Amino acid sequence: MSAKGDMFYTQASEAAILEKGECGGAVTALLKYALESKTVDAVLTVQKGYDIYDATPVLITDPEELSKCAGSLHCGTLLIPKLIKKWLNGANDMKIAVTLKGCDAKAMYELAKRQQINLDNVYMIGLNCGGSVSPITARTMIQEKFGINPDDVVKEEIDKGKFIVFTKDGEEKGISMDELEEEGYGRRKNCQRCKTKIPRQTDLACGNWGVIGPLAGKATFVEVCSDKGAALLDAAVKAGAISTEAPIPKGIEIRGKIEKTMHKLADKQREAQFAKMGEGTERLKFIMDETSRCIKCYQCIENCPICYCVECSTKKPYLVEPGRVPPPFMFHLIRFSHISDSCVNCGQCEELCAMDIPNALFMHSLQVEMEKMFGFTPGVNMDLPILALVEEPTERDRLASTGSDQIYDIFKTEE
Ligand code: FAD
Ligand code: SF4
Ligand code: SF4
Ligand code: SF4
Ligand code: SF4
């Protein structure tokens, strides 16, 4: 019997899944078992779309169809939770299993605490994540830096700090991510700042870091993160869908070291990227200048996992004058004030912005500041966001009795 905190080298028992899986095929085998055993009604995951730079979400109910999704798509920059909210009624009507990168996992919690997703009906299969690459950047960098036609690439992978491509003619070429990122290519900027490398808020966190010895490259490293995850893993072992063995202690140590190194790199990136915006009024001016390109396409709102409101304040004429492009700065201020405490740095508002405005950079910088001030970390558990702690009737009473409009008494000095 496994328990929260346990770690395993895991392999799919079915040879075809083991072969096709990114590492040990454990994720595909677990998803298949969950469907076959009717633990879930459907699996939400992604598959290759138009080309290897395109990840398409897919809802699968036939277990035999799962193997076509095996493998990792590093240029698929989808955020899955908002799809569950929008198209699957927040998983209220069916039990689903879903694969989630760190930012997806955080978004699941932020939507769940806003009652937009029913986590009781969801098995969260976490994927460790060193980062993803925007499809546009991937194509440009393969053309310009690798000297390869991006349409000739049949597989990409990120291994030992390198972005590696394989062509249809059997050519293999890898370039270090550090080198690529120094030249403006490589992972998305939000990924460079991200510290959710092993998503322990899911039920099972799966990856390749830490698999050494005879199974290196051939097993999935699974960390059990909840009782629900333990039960699924045990049942899949019992049914013969997967096999597990104890990890090599040195492998666990290496995995821990990689995670720490990634955190340090992300801290450095945060410092450097935030510093480029300047401080105080200089930063405000930077944000106002950048957002002056806005054409009010609403993609940042449509795709943000924290934006869930039926009636969005940015569409209220008394707050944002309609018919003006660029919209008044109030449009962006509304988003900053509603979301900044809970931003999970998923990058969607930047990735999908029609005008390439670095929205995620602004919002993440605010979130980091608010986390320092109020100690609230978004996306790690069901703790309510800061703004939710202000209840209107209570706040009205407080205003009436104290006469102070300071919701948070952050300027209070010790007496
Ligand atoms: P498989 O059996 O091959 O199943 C993988 C499942 O993940 C499939 O269901 C597939 O549809 C789904 N999937 C593929 N791409 C995505 C995506 N973009 N978003 C959501 N679901 C997806 N592990 C590490 O240890 N270190 C890393 O640095 C690391 N970086 C990663 C970066 C990305 C963008 C992704 C997607 C994964 C990363 N992983 C990393 C996880 C690793 O690549 C494997 O997914 C994991 O080890 C499971 O292997 P498997 O053979 O069991 O998975
Ligand atoms: Fe992965 Fe983090 Fe980037 Fe999400 S933000 S894709 S979890 S590195
Ligand atoms: Fe993601 Fe942007 Fe919303 Fe933050 S503000 S959660 S980066 S879409
Ligand atoms: Fe809701 Fe504010 Fe997002 Fe509009 S901007 S959807 S009001 S959170
Ligand atoms: Fe403006 Fe970009 Fe948001 Fe569109 S996605 S509304 S252009 S900030």
Side-chain angles (χ1 to χ4, degrees):
M1 293 288 278
S2 63
K4 192 174 165 187
D6 287 352
M7 299 176 195
F8 300 98
Y9 287 171
T10 312
Q11 286 188 308
S13 307
E14 220 178 282
I17 297 181
L18 183 60
E19 164 78 24
K20 205 161 173 251
E22 183 73 13
C23 313
V27 168
T28 304
L30 280 161
L31 295 173
K32 193 170 178 209
Y33 167 74
L35 263 186
E36 280 171 345
S37 61
K38 303 206 185 317
T39 309
V40 296
D41 304 305
V43 165
L44 179 61
T45 187
V46 302
Q47 65 182 24
K48 192 180 111 186
Y50 175 73
D51 56 27
I52 58 148
Y53 313 103
D54 179 29
T56 311
V58 56
L59 188 72
I60 293 181
T61 49
D62 175 358
E64 291 313 315
E65 284 194 15
L66 265 170
S67 58
K68 73 179 177 196
C69 303
S72 296
L73 291 163
H74 300 99
C75 309
T77 47
L78 281 172
L79 191 82
I80 292 178
K82 194 100 189 234
L83 304 177
I84 301 180
K85 175 217 154 14
K86 271 192 188 171
W87 307 109
L88 301 177
N89 192 24
N92 275 304
D93 316 322
M94 62 164 106
K95 283 197 183 287
I96 61 167
V98 55
T99 53
L100 303 164
K101 303 176 268 77
C103 50
D104 290 300
K106 289 188 286 189
M108 289 295 284
Y109 279 91
E110 290 308 313
L111 279 162
K113 66 182 77 162
R114 289 165 176 81
Q115 295 173 23
Q116 302 300 305
I117 286 183
N118 180 357
L119 282 189
D120 290 344
N121 278 345
V122 182
Y123 279 82
M124 296 195 276
I125 310 297
L127 305 176
N128 293 357
C129 189
S132 59
V133 182
S134 145
I136 299 169
T137 309
R139 281 187 153 272
T140 319
M141 119 183 142
I142 290 167
Q143 184 79 59
E144 292 176 358
K145 276 290 290 179
F146 289 68
I148 291 174
N149 179 349
D151 290 328
D152 290 344
V153 175
V154 287
K155 184 171 163 48
E156 50 71 29
E157 93 187 11
I158 301 177
D159 192 26
K160 298 191 181 70
K162 281 187 174 176
F163 187 80
I164 306 165
V165 296
F166 303 83
T167 70
K168 59 180 188 207
D169 304 322
E171 189 188 348
E172 176 184 333
K173 190 166 181 180
I175 301 183
S176 107
M177 269 295 190
D178 289 347
E179 184 186 331
L180 292 168
E181 283 172 9
E182 265 166 34
E183 295 180 31
Y185 302 110
R187 295 169 303 160
R188 294 185 295 158
K189 293 275 185 210
N190 62 305
C191 294
Q192 296 174 21
R193 300 190 303 267
C194 172
K195 290 170 83 172
T196 316
K197 299 300 167 188
I198 300 179
R200 295 189 177 85
Q201 59 275 70
T202 59
D203 296 309
L204 295 168
C206 307
N208 52 24
W209 288 330
V211 183
I212 58 167
L215 290 185
K218 290 184 239 149
T220 313
F221 192 114
V222 179
E223 179 171 343
V224 179
C225 301
S226 72
D227 294 344
K228 205 164 152 185
L232 178 66
L233 190 84
D234 289 343
V237 172
K238 201 167 166 213
I242 52 170
S243 61
T244 57
E245 63 179 73
I248 298 171
K250 185 78 189 160
I252 302 180
E253 196 185 314
I254 291 171
R255 180 174 178 262
K257 279 191 182 154
I258 299 174
E259 192 183 15
K260 260 197 197 148
T261 308
M262 298 292 286
H263 283 185
K264 275 194 193 151
L265 285 173
D267 278 331
K268 267 194 178 169
Q269 280 296 339
R270 287 178 186 202
E271 210 181 310
Q273 292 186 31
F274 296 161
K276 279 193 188 148
M277 290 194 289
E279 295 258 344
T281 44
E282 200 188 339
R283 183 172 292 191
L284 179 63
K285 186 174 176 314
F286 176 80
I287 294 175
M288 290 181 84
D289 283 350
E290 288 285 322
T291 51
S292 68
R293 295 198 299 277
C294 176
I295 56 166
K296 217 161 92 162
C297 69
Y298 291 107
Q299 283 307 302
C300 47
I301 294 171
E302 268 301 302
N303 294 289
C304 176
I306 318 299
C307 280
Y308 69 97
C309 312
V310 178
E311 283 183 33
C312 176
S313 301
T314 64
K315 293 185 180 165
K316 298 200 165 132
Y318 54 87
L319 290 173
V320 178
E321 189 193 333
R324 262 181 64 188
V325 170
F329 190 54
M330 178 57 91
F331 177 88
H332 303 282
L333 281 178
I334 290 172
R335 263 182 51 79
F336 293 153
S337 63
H338 292 184
I339 296 153
S340 54
D341 63 346
S342 300
C343 169
V344 296
N345 186 35
C346 66
Q348 294 293 298
C349 54
E350 190 166 319
E351 179 89 7
L352 299 164
C353 173
M355 298 307 289
D356 289 337
I357 297 169
N359 288 308
L361 173 70
F362 310 152
M363 203 67 90
H364 189 210
S365 67
L366 284 166
Q367 184 278 316
V368 169
E369 288 302 318
M370 291 190 81
E371 184 168 338
K372 278 189 220 149
M373 285 168 100
F374 302 110
F376 170 73
T377 313
V380 287
N381 52 32
M382 287 298 279
D383 283 358
L384 289 179
I386 301 162
L387 296 177
L389 300 178
V390 183
E391 269 188 61
E392 202 184 340
T394 321
E395 181 54 15
R396 280 188 190 284
D397 288 348
R398 196 193 60 75
L399 266 173
S401 61
T402 64
S404 164
D405 63 353
Q406 287 293 313
I407 296 174
Y408 310 109
D409 217 350
I410 52 174
F411 304 112
K412 190 174 160 198
T413 49
E414 291 298 325
E415 285 171 21

